[in-house]
Amino acid sequence: MKLFNFYAADGTIHIGAADEQKMVDISAAGCSWGWPEIFAEPERLLAQMKNILRHGKPLASNAQRFAPAALNPEKIICVGLNYRAHCAEVPFGTPEYPALFSKFNNALNGHGGEVHLPEGAGELDYEAELVVVMGREVKNATEAEAAEAVFGYTAGNDFTARDLQRRTSQWLLGKTPDGFAPVGPYVVPAEEIDVSDLRVETFVNGEQRQAASTKDMIFSPAAIVSYISQYMTLAPGDVIFTGTPQGVILGMPEKERRWLVPGDEVVVKIEGVGELRNIIV
């Protein structure tokens, strides 16, 4: 089972559930709880959602306008340089510790959402990433405790304006313009997926640009969560982008770089999670 957020006909955000056969509106089944309640009682409520999915009326497959898979996280934390082959293609070196930076909620975007090129930026890049969705509060967690605190995983694209990123030594400006953190369309509960060896791919207008496996990660998702928790308390609903593999535009020879432009369609595909599509405008 996969979960998702979508806009209902009245404009409110509903929670849905999907499997290989159908999608259903969990919120329309008389359930008054939202994500805080799901994070608080995942076993009970996931079981209820599976039952609703089994017996509920299917949504039309083309009727959904997806909202971001994560809503109002307290923190959006990103990890840079976390794939060995990616470290070799960009001029930043290999980190001894997870390289952390942040995005803000203004950057959240959904499957099918538009990504606007900021004024003055001309070097827009993609970064396919497996994204952690936290389910429990953790502080000073071991890796085992960190893994247990993860609610699930989704797909993300850490869009980056490279020319804004390198204006200063701080990456923030190039990382968190509006809409630069699409996540979705689905969240897969952690108990239903093994993230140690997942295929991660990016396609631009149908052309494959990234193709790797999470087994090339330097720091595993559990190690990342554990590390972050040594310095800040992670809260339910927090999201963590776990890094991108090789194949970004920045890693290409300078003469071969073709930055994203309006009209481009970017698809991030993560095995077992789904496909996240966005259009540059």
Side-chain angles (χ1 to χ4, degrees):
M1 179 178 69
K2 300 176 181 179
L3 306 180
F4 60 96
N5 295 312
F6 71 101
Y7 294 97
D10 63 359
T12 60
I13 295 178
H14 284 204
I15 298 172
D19 58 18
E20 297 302 323
Q21 284 72 47
K22 65 179 179 180
M23 308 169 74
V24 301
D25 185 347
I26 296 293
S27 300
C31 301
S32 60
W33 31 261
W35 284 103
E37 289 78 17
I38 294 171
F39 294 142
E41 297 185 87
E43 292 185 9
R44 181 177 72 86
L45 296 186
L46 285 173
Q48 286 191 28
M49 285 187 277
K50 287 179 180 179
N51 187 57
I52 295 169
L53 177 59
R54 188 178 303 114
H55 301 289
K57 178 182 177 181
L59 287 165
S61 60
N62 61 348
Q64 288 73 51
R65 182 166 70 91
F66 286 91
L71 301 175
N72 299 315
E74 180 183 277
K75 293 180 284 296
I76 302 173
I77 302 172
C78 305
V79 181
L81 307 170
N82 194 34
Y83 283 75
R84 294 173 180 84
H86 176 55
C87 289
E89 73 175 350
V90 294
F92 300 120
T94 301
E96 182 179 356
Y97 303 100
L100 304 181
F101 59 94
S102 62
K103 289 180 180 259
F104 302 128
N105 281 348
N106 68 292
L108 286 174
N109 205 339
H111 172 66
E114 296 179 341
V115 177
H116 293 257
L117 188 64
E119 187 71 27
E123 299 181 2
L124 183 60
D125 208 345
Y126 50 78
E127 294 191 17
E129 308 208 14
L130 179 70
V131 177
V132 170
V133 179
M134 296 302 300
R136 295 208 306 264
E137 181 178 295
V138 287
K139 175 69 175 174
N140 296 322
T142 65
E143 288 193 25
E145 292 167 339
E148 288 294 318
V150 172
F151 174 81
Y153 299 89
T154 187
N157 195 332
D158 174 19
F159 280 105
T160 306
R162 299 296 186 188
D163 40 358
L164 301 184
Q165 179 186 12
R166 65 171 179 266
R167 276 187 180 178
T168 70
S169 62
Q170 303 301 310
W171 292 0
L172 183 67
L173 189 63
K175 291 289 190 176
T176 196
D178 296 341
F180 267 38
V183 285
Y186 305 109
V187 177
V188 181
E191 64 185 26
E192 299 192 17
I193 190 168
D194 178 0
V195 297
S196 64
D197 186 9
L198 298 179
R199 184 82 168 167
V200 179
E201 300 172 283
T202 297
F203 299 84
V204 177
N205 302 325
E207 176 189 353
Q208 188 176 67
R209 297 290 187 86
Q210 291 183 285
S213 168
T214 54
K215 67 182 180 182
D216 190 46
M217 282 185 175
I218 298 170
F219 307 102
S220 71
I224 292 167
V225 172
S226 173
Y227 176 76
I228 295 171
S229 79
Q230 308 308 309
Y231 305 99
M232 65 188 83
T233 302
L234 289 168
D238 283 351
V239 296
I240 303 170
F241 283 68
T242 60
T244 197
Q246 76 276 12
V248 298
I249 300 171
L250 180 65
M252 299 176 183
E254 189 169 351
K255 292 183 179 180
E256 298 178 18
R257 295 172 185 168
R258 189 187 75 80
W259 304 104
L260 298 174
V261 296
D264 284 344
E265 179 189 62
V266 184
V267 178
V268 168
K269 183 177 181 180
I270 298 184
E271 179 184 2
V273 177
E275 297 187 9
L276 172 66
R277 298 175 180 266
N278 296 99
I279 299 292
I280 311 304
V281 297

